[in-house]
Amino acid sequence: MENKIKALLLENSLSVFGVKIDEKLIQFQKTRKDVNGDMTLVVFPFVKVLKSSPAIVGEDIGRFLKEKLEEVESYNIVSGFLNITLTNKYWQNILLEMSKDEMFGCSSELSGQMYMVEYSSPNTNKPLHLGHMRNIFLGYSVSEILKANGHEVVKTQIINDRGIHICKSMVAWEQFASKDANGNRETPDSTGMKGDHFVGKYYIEFDQQVTKQGFELATSWKESNYAESIISEEAKEKLPGLFTAYSNAEDDKKKTSIYRKIAAFAVPFAQLTQDAKEMLVKWEANEPEAYSLWETMNNWVYKGFDKTYERMEVDFDKIYYESKTYLTGRDLVKDGLEKGVFYKKEDGSVWVDLTDEGLDEKLVLRADGTAVYMTQDIGTAIQRFKDFPNLNGVIYTVGNEQDYHFQVLFLILKKLGYDWAKNCYHLSYGMVDLPDGKMKSREGRVVDADDLMEEVVQMAKDSTQERGHIEGMSEIERENLYETIGMGGLKYYLLKVDPQKRMKFNPDESIELNGNTGPFIQYAYARINSLMTKVELVNPETEMAIDQAEKDLIKQLNEFPLVIKEAGTNFSPALIANYTFELVKNYNSFYQAFSVMKEENIALKNARILISQNTGKVIHTAMRLLGIHVPNRM
């Protein structure tokens, strides 16, 4: 209708206004709840051009539209806004058209644009955790929303399979792994652990052992009166006070905190730290023993990741590995050095100067020639556009702690002469906190993804069994239902919050049947599905009537395509989640106030059946775009 009104005004602008008008003048906005109307035209842009008052301009446009469009029932002007009320017949036709479109809300035409969405992108030194889950569900959902807008999408991840953090797990396994009678070190198979959990155990082990070594080193410095030249001035200044505080601390938590602060000054000089650095140099030099160990441990992790992704029901079209792309990045840094994009410091390290752009200097290659994250990200970006030359843009789903990193990355790519850098977008999202603070992988203080999924599904099982209503279901059907409710609740909870906002996760709230939750929406779908098995339409094309309550729901359903479009433009599944919650709330109120099954007026009953059907269809599509299943029975 907006397009129809726009075309009509442009075509008849001379007869209506006496002048030709620009299309930009015609602007619509959502109608305020406190005024009558179904759509609102902003009058103010016309006032200056037409040199008339908002009231007169609004009246002229309103009168013209009512004369020319049979769909316009009435209009009113309030404070420079023309509020247009459309006929019930118009809304009936909208409902009928909506009912015929199985993919209502999704674009039926391809846009001709291709986007790559990067998400997950884990390190191979630890299992996936709650923070990864927000990333994964967000990236997967954005991919599905972009598809619904008619775009071609390549879902990808870059696996951080190299670097000092990987070497820490490798060193810890070599030095601390238990051995059997034949001298063989333990493995995921011998322990029965998932590979990613197994390797993550040794990452934590490294941190604990290197902290212990650091504390012992700091203690030896103390005993020598901090005379060692290797100690920094800050260490000489702070260590005496920290040791005193450590001796006086009575609380174990405080003592542990001070212990780690003391150790931190000496950790860079600990033997384990040197061992990890040496392992990295050996790996980059492709020494057979180091490379073989790296390959073995990474394969353990990949098998673990695959099991986790399978339960999450997410997938990828293309996987990149930093162990490959960093080489491309390293070569590009050398080329950039020759072209003057980068410069070398006296110690041999290579940097880029971004001070003219309001940033600072950034390291792109260490003095020993090893790559940093920036090096490999440069290589990855360039490789992607080589692999997919038709890409219109790359969306990086990465936490907001890396905002600065991506500012720098995009600037470097631009300096290297890649025009497509302007089409790279950082989908920055807020971190997920535990109730007692931030997650720290190296301390083992995280919410493990596998454990969390198991927990919410078990909670869904317990609450469903307590409520009942599952009689007649087979055991397989029940288990599928528990999985649907638990995983749906988890995904919805993480996606309903605006991506840019930091959030706390509460598993108990995620599976509640009331409030803005996945199960609340799933239950509404199940109830509509049950209703549809008990009612039947009778000639809806000719026998249909609506009142205000029905019209309000049709209007809300009709907004769904715009919500999908907006969610795609803003890369925000939260817009779809919260729209669906509001739709379900309004439908539930409607369902309680007006009978569907018992309505005797066939015309009204038909409308209510179609509204129920389409509400179910929109719920199903919306939840699918969030990566969530809806049950037929609950």
Side-chain angles (χ1 to χ4, degrees):
M1 181 53 67
E2 287 184 7
N3 290 335
K4 197 171 185 178
I5 289 174
K6 185 179 287 188
L8 192 65
L9 290 176
L10 290 173
E11 185 182 343
N12 296 275
S13 62
L14 278 174
S15 60
V16 179
F17 308 117
V19 294
K20 269 284 187 183
I21 61 169
D22 192 300
E23 185 178 351
K24 293 178 182 178
L25 293 180
I26 306 172
Q27 301 170 16
F28 292 92
Q29 70 174 37
K30 199 166 183 177
T31 305
R32 282 167 30 192
K33 291 182 179 180
D34 59 341
V35 299
N36 292 324
D38 298 321
M39 58 191 304
T40 297
L41 177 69
V42 184
V43 175
F44 292 109
F46 294 90
V47 171
K48 188 175 181 181
V49 175
L50 304 180
K51 299 177 181 178
S52 186
S53 70
I56 293 173
V57 173
E59 180 63 35
D60 289 344
I61 296 174
R63 185 171 56 251
F64 171 74
L65 294 177
K66 192 171 187 313
E67 289 173 0
K68 296 294 183 180
L69 295 174
E70 62 180 8
E71 297 94 338
V72 175
E73 182 177 272
S74 62
Y75 63 90
N76 64 81
I77 301 103
V78 178
S79 304
F81 296 93
L82 173 63
N83 304 299
I84 303 164
T85 299
L86 302 171
T87 64
N88 280 3
K89 183 64 178 175
Y90 169 81
W91 291 111
Q92 290 173 28
N93 290 335
I94 287 289
L95 182 58
L96 283 170
E97 289 302 311
M98 194 185 299
S99 302
K100 295 171 185 174
D101 185 357
E102 283 302 313
M103 295 302 295
F104 174 70
C106 302
S107 176
S108 58
E109 297 179 2
L110 292 176
S111 67
Q113 294 185 309
M114 176 192 284
Y115 292 92
M116 179 177 282
V117 182
E118 176 198 294
Y119 57 95
S120 186
S121 303
N123 296 330
T124 55
N125 64 318
K126 57 191 175 185
L128 302 171
H129 56 62
L130 176 57
H132 288 115
M133 295 180 95
R134 188 179 197 191
N135 177 304
I136 292 166
F137 297 147
L138 178 59
Y140 178 85
S141 180
V142 165
S143 299
E144 296 303 306
I145 291 167
L146 289 174
K147 286 182 187 178
N149 279 284
H151 307 315
E152 186 178 353
V153 176
V154 180
K155 292 181 280 190
T156 190
Q157 63 171 322
I158 172 73
I159 297 183
N160 304 306
D161 63 341
R162 61 165 294 280
I164 193 69
H165 51 288
I166 310 295
C167 292
K168 289 177 180 179
S169 297
M170 292 162 63
V171 166
W173 184 77
E174 275 196 329
Q175 296 190 22
F176 307 116
S178 301
K179 296 181 180 179
D180 62 18
N182 297 318
N184 298 314
R185 293 184 181 89
E186 65 176 7
T187 66
D189 287 339
S190 70
T191 59
M193 290 180 72
K194 266 179 93 245
D196 50 338
H197 287 222
F198 182 84
V199 173
K201 179 180 77 166
Y202 282 100
Y203 183 63
I204 296 167
E205 180 75 18
F206 181 93
D207 179 71
Q208 292 171 344
Q209 293 292 341
V210 80
T211 299
K212 180 183 176 184
Q213 286 187 10
F215 185 80
E216 290 169 352
L217 258 179
T219 303
S220 70
W221 294 346
K222 175 190 176 189
E223 290 169 354
S224 62
N225 199 27
Y226 309 106
E228 305 286 344
S229 60
I230 200 171
I231 302 175
S232 68
E233 291 304 314
E234 184 185 8
K236 289 178 181 178
E237 179 185 339
K238 293 187 177 179
L239 278 172
L242 285 171
F243 271 112
T244 301
Y246 180 76
S247 300
N248 296 333
E250 296 179 0
D251 178 74
D252 286 343
K253 189 175 180 181
K254 189 172 184 181
K255 203 173 186 75
T256 300
S257 175
I258 299 170
Y259 170 84
R260 296 191 71 88
K261 287 178 182 177
I262 291 170
F265 283 109
V267 159
F269 311 105
Q271 185 58 50
L272 272 174
T273 303
Q274 304 313 311
D275 292 343
K277 288 180 178 178
E278 286 176 19
M279 182 70 80
L280 179 60
V281 173
K282 288 178 183 178
W283 180 86
E284 292 208 1
N286 208 17
E287 290 192 10
E289 190 175 337
Y291 195 89
S292 177
L293 175 59
W294 166 82
E295 203 169 35
T296 297
M297 293 186 74
N298 275 349
N299 283 331
W300 290 341
V301 174
Y302 298 148
K303 288 180 181 177
F305 285 167
D306 286 345
K307 289 181 181 178
T308 305
Y309 291 141
E310 185 179 353
R311 188 166 197 180
M312 290 178 173
E313 296 189 294
V314 299
D315 59 353
F316 304 92
D317 301 308
K318 176 76 175 177
I319 296 178
Y320 291 90
Y321 298 90
E322 288 191 351
S323 56
K324 305 294 184 186
T325 60
Y326 92 98
L327 295 169
T328 304
R330 196 166 61 180
D331 291 342
L332 282 160
V333 168
K334 291 174 182 176
D335 289 343
L337 194 59
E338 293 177 5
K339 294 174 182 176
V341 175
F342 306 120
Y343 71 95
K344 188 177 285 190
K345 289 192 175 182
E346 289 182 6
D347 65 355
S349 60
V350 181
W351 297 69
V352 62
D353 186 356
L354 300 174
T355 52
D356 287 347
E357 284 83 3
L359 304 179
D360 58 12
E361 298 176 337
K362 183 73 176 178
L363 175 70
V364 292
L365 210 61
R366 296 189 186 97
D368 61 6
T370 56
V372 294
Y373 276 123
M374 188 59 69
T375 323
Q376 54 213 26
D377 279 351
I378 292 168
T380 304
I382 291 165
Q383 188 60 51
R384 286 170 172 170
F385 277 87
K386 284 181 180 177
D387 292 342
F388 300 93
N390 294 326
L391 279 177
N392 290 91
V394 176
I395 297 118
Y396 293 83
T397 312
V398 183
N400 58 18
E401 292 179 340
Q402 296 297 324
D403 284 352
Y404 183 77
H405 174 87
F406 283 98
Q407 271 186 282
V408 172
L409 173 63
F410 300 158
L411 269 173
I412 290 175
L413 291 170
K414 184 179 176 183
K415 281 180 174 289
L416 287 170
Y418 295 103
D419 187 57
W420 45 254
K422 66 179 182 293
N423 297 326
C424 293
Y425 179 81
H426 176 205
L427 175 49
S428 174
Y429 64 90
M431 296 292 102
V432 184
D433 291 326
L434 301 173
D436 63 343
K438 189 176 178 180
M439 294 183 289
K440 294 182 180 177
S441 300
R442 68 177 186 276
E443 297 175 20
R445 208 171 124 259
V446 300
V447 177
D448 178 81
D450 295 312
D451 291 345
L452 180 56
M453 288 190 287
E454 193 62 39
E455 180 184 347
V456 294
V457 171
Q458 183 60 48
M459 290 167 63
K461 179 177 181 177
D462 294 341
S463 61
T464 303
Q465 289 179 339
E466 186 178 326
R467 286 192 301 269
H469 309 298
I470 54 175
E471 300 83 1
M473 283 187 178
S474 68
E475 190 60 32
I476 293 176
E477 288 173 331
R478 293 183 184 191
E479 292 300 325
N480 287 339
L481 178 62
Y482 307 146
E483 187 79 14
T484 296
I485 295 172
M487 289 301 296
L490 172 61
K491 291 180 181 181
Y492 186 88
Y493 197 99
L494 293 173
L495 291 174
K496 71 178 182 179
V497 179
D498 184 294
Q500 296 181 10
K501 293 182 179 177
R502 196 170 189 128
M503 66 176 293
K504 286 187 179 180
F505 179 75
N506 187 329
D508 293 321
E509 289 179 2
S510 72
I511 54 112
E512 287 182 359
L513 266 185
N514 296 310
N516 190 4
T517 68
F520 173 76
I521 295 168
Q522 289 172 323
Y523 184 73
Y525 178 84
R527 184 161 65 176
I528 291 170
N529 186 68
S530 175
L531 173 66
M532 290 302 99
T533 64
K534 302 169 186 174
V535 294
E536 187 177 354
L537 287 165
V538 180
N539 300 324
E541 296 277 356
T542 54
E543 291 288 329
M544 186 163 64
I546 63 170
D547 290 332
Q548 187 62 43
E550 287 80 14
K551 186 170 86 166
D552 289 343
L553 268 175
I554 297 169
K555 285 168 64 176
Q556 192 171 10
L557 288 167
N558 197 46
E559 291 173 5
F560 188 48
L562 295 176
V563 173
I564 291 179
K565 186 176 181 181
E566 188 180 355
T569 302
N570 294 284
F571 308 120
S572 177
L575 295 173
I576 289 178
N578 289 290
Y579 162 83
T580 310
F581 170 62
E582 291 299 326
L583 173 66
V584 168
K585 268 201 317 181
N586 291 338
Y587 177 81
N588 285 350
S589 298
F590 173 82
Y591 185 82
Q592 294 296 326
F594 303 98
S595 174
V596 179
M597 289 178 60
K598 296 180 181 179
E599 176 57 55
E600 295 180 357
N601 184 320
I602 295 298
L604 267 178
K605 186 173 184 176
N606 279 338
R608 290 173 188 174
I609 291 172
L610 284 177
I611 286 169
S612 299
Q613 279 182 347
N614 283 286
T615 300
K617 182 167 65 182
V618 166
I619 291 172
H620 188 281
T621 300
M623 296 296 262
R624 177 180 61 79
L625 296 178
L626 301 179
I628 299 171
H629 294 294
V630 283
N632 292 328
R633 181 181 172 190
M634 188 167 161

